[in-house]
Amino acid sequence: MPLYMAALSGKKDMVKYLYENSERMTSGLWTDECRGGVLLACVEAGLFDVALQIVKDRPELVESERSLLGVLAHNPGAFRKQYNLIEKFVFLRDGYDGLVNEGNQAMELLRIIWGHILKLPKTKIDDILRGPPDQIMGDKYSSRVLFAAAQMGNTAFIVELIRQYPEQVLALNDNKQSIFHIAITYRYRGIYSLLHDIGSMKESIVDLEDENGNNMLHLVGILSETGRSYLLKDIPGPTSQLLEDLAWFQNVWTILPEEQSWPKST
């Protein structure tokens, strides 16, 4: 359909015209599957104003098009606040990147979608957050929404989800890691800093070891290639990189129980 193809191409003006011309996808042979495809294409293309109009016109599409959360989770740039020079110094100095501009359309869309999902039974909510099973290994779920956001450093997305569904801070991926373990591996300070805001649940997180026996401190020394690229982007030289690693080590060291603060035996 022309509307779907225009959305795939990210042609905003054309999408808006065709959407209205289709009587907001009510004329002709429109089905919910077709409408959902257009909605998903709009979100993937960053046409959030059109996507907002669609979910307001057709709220039932939120449940049927379950991959919407995953698309937003993979797009931290859609939520990122535009900082002025002073704000960069105040907020980014401490690594907090969870703020969004007032009127951010991606955040408005996320809140509408998440609000509809939260009205579903808990089993359905958890099913949506878990995502589909992997095609090769059917007992693995590598596309878990919250962990996709953690790997992308999408702090604003995570804050919004756990604000209304706080038990998700205790969720673990297939490697028995929390989102905070992921944040350490990829060096996302904004997500890691949320650990200090979750109250007593923090104790359950810091005691965790993943399926390889690594606790948070061990993960400081296991810097993924993605995390290394992220780190090198902002740190000019090897000395500064070493200081950054030491800062992470000291930060994580202070929150671990004493018995976990010693190097892992080999």
Short mmCIF file of all heavy atoms in Angstrom, two decimals, residues 21-30 35:
data_model
loop_
_atom_site.label_atom_id
_atom_site.label_comp_id
_atom_site.label_asym_id
_atom_site.label_seq_id
_atom_site.Cartn_x
_atom_site.Cartn_y
_atom_site.Cartn_z
N ASN A 21 -5.94 11.02 3.69
CA ASN A 21 -6.66 10.66 2.47
C ASN A 21 -7.31 9.28 2.58
O ASN A 21 -8.30 8.99 1.89
CB ASN A 21 -5.70 10.70 1.28
CG ASN A 21 -6.43 10.73 -0.05
OD1 ASN A 21 -7.32 11.55 -0.26
ND2 ASN A 21 -6.06 9.83 -0.96
N SER A 22 -6.73 8.43 3.43
CA SER A 22 -7.30 7.10 3.65
C SER A 22 -8.38 7.11 4.72
O SER A 22 -8.84 6.06 5.16
CB SER A 22 -6.20 6.12 4.06
OG SER A 22 -5.72 6.44 5.37
N GLU A 23 -8.78 8.34 5.11
CA GLU A 23 -9.73 8.51 6.21
C GLU A 23 -9.20 7.82 7.47
O GLU A 23 -9.90 7.12 8.17
CB GLU A 23 -11.11 7.98 5.82
CG GLU A 23 -11.73 8.72 4.64
CD GLU A 23 -13.07 8.15 4.22
OE1 GLU A 23 -13.62 7.32 4.98
OE2 GLU A 23 -13.56 8.53 3.14
N ARG A 24 -7.91 8.06 7.69
CA ARG A 24 -7.20 7.52 8.85
C ARG A 24 -7.30 6.00 8.91
O ARG A 24 -7.59 5.40 9.94
CB ARG A 24 -7.68 8.17 10.14
CG ARG A 24 -7.49 9.69 10.12
CD ARG A 24 -7.64 10.33 11.47
NE ARG A 24 -7.29 11.74 11.39
CZ ARG A 24 -7.17 12.54 12.44
NH1 ARG A 24 -7.36 12.06 13.66
NH2 ARG A 24 -6.83 13.82 12.29
N MET A 25 -7.05 5.41 7.75
CA MET A 25 -7.00 3.95 7.57
C MET A 25 -8.33 3.28 7.91
O MET A 25 -8.36 2.20 8.50
CB MET A 25 -5.85 3.34 8.39
CG MET A 25 -4.48 3.82 7.96
SD MET A 25 -3.08 2.89 8.67
CE MET A 25 -3.21 3.32 10.40
N THR A 26 -9.42 3.92 7.53
CA THR A 26 -10.74 3.31 7.70
C THR A 26 -11.39 2.99 6.37
O THR A 26 -12.32 2.18 6.31
CB THR A 26 -11.68 4.24 8.49
OG1 THR A 26 -11.83 5.48 7.79
CG2 THR A 26 -11.12 4.51 9.89
N SER A 27 -10.91 3.61 5.30
CA SER A 27 -11.53 3.38 4.00
C SER A 27 -10.98 2.12 3.34
O SER A 27 -9.93 1.61 3.72
CB SER A 27 -11.27 4.58 3.08
OG SER A 27 -9.88 4.74 2.86
N GLY A 28 -11.69 1.62 2.36
CA GLY A 28 -11.20 0.49 1.58
C GLY A 28 -11.11 -0.80 2.36
O GLY A 28 -11.98 -1.13 3.17
N LEU A 29 -10.02 -1.54 2.13
CA LEU A 29 -9.86 -2.88 2.70
C LEU A 29 -8.87 -2.92 3.85
O LEU A 29 -8.16 -3.91 4.05
CB LEU A 29 -9.41 -3.85 1.59
CG LEU A 29 -10.36 -3.97 0.40
CD1 LEU A 29 -9.75 -4.87 -0.67
CD2 LEU A 29 -11.72 -4.51 0.83
N TRP A 30 -8.79 -1.86 4.62
CA TRP A 30 -7.84 -1.82 5.73
C TRP A 30 -8.18 -2.86 6.79
O TRP A 30 -9.32 -3.01 7.20
CB TRP A 30 -7.84 -0.44 6.38
CG TRP A 30 -7.08 0.60 5.60
CD1 TRP A 30 -7.61 1.53 4.76
CD2 TRP A 30 -5.67 0.78 5.57
NE1 TRP A 30 -6.62 2.30 4.21
CE2 TRP A 30 -5.41 1.85 4.69
CE3 TRP A 30 -4.60 0.15 6.19
CZ2 TRP A 30 -4.12 2.31 4.43
CZ3 TRP A 30 -3.32 0.60 5.94
CH2 TRP A 30 -3.09 1.66 5.06
N ARG A 35 -2.91 -1.88 9.35
CA ARG A 35 -2.76 -0.67 10.16
C ARG A 35 -1.55 -0.80 11.09
O ARG A 35 -0.78 0.14 11.28
CB ARG A 35 -4.03 -0.43 10.98
CG ARG A 35 -5.28 -0.16 10.15
CD ARG A 35 -6.47 0.12 11.05
NE ARG A 35 -7.70 0.26 10.28
CZ ARG A 35 -8.65 -0.68 10.20
NH1 ARG A 35 -8.51 -1.83 10.87
NH2 ARG A 35 -9.73 -0.49 9.47
#
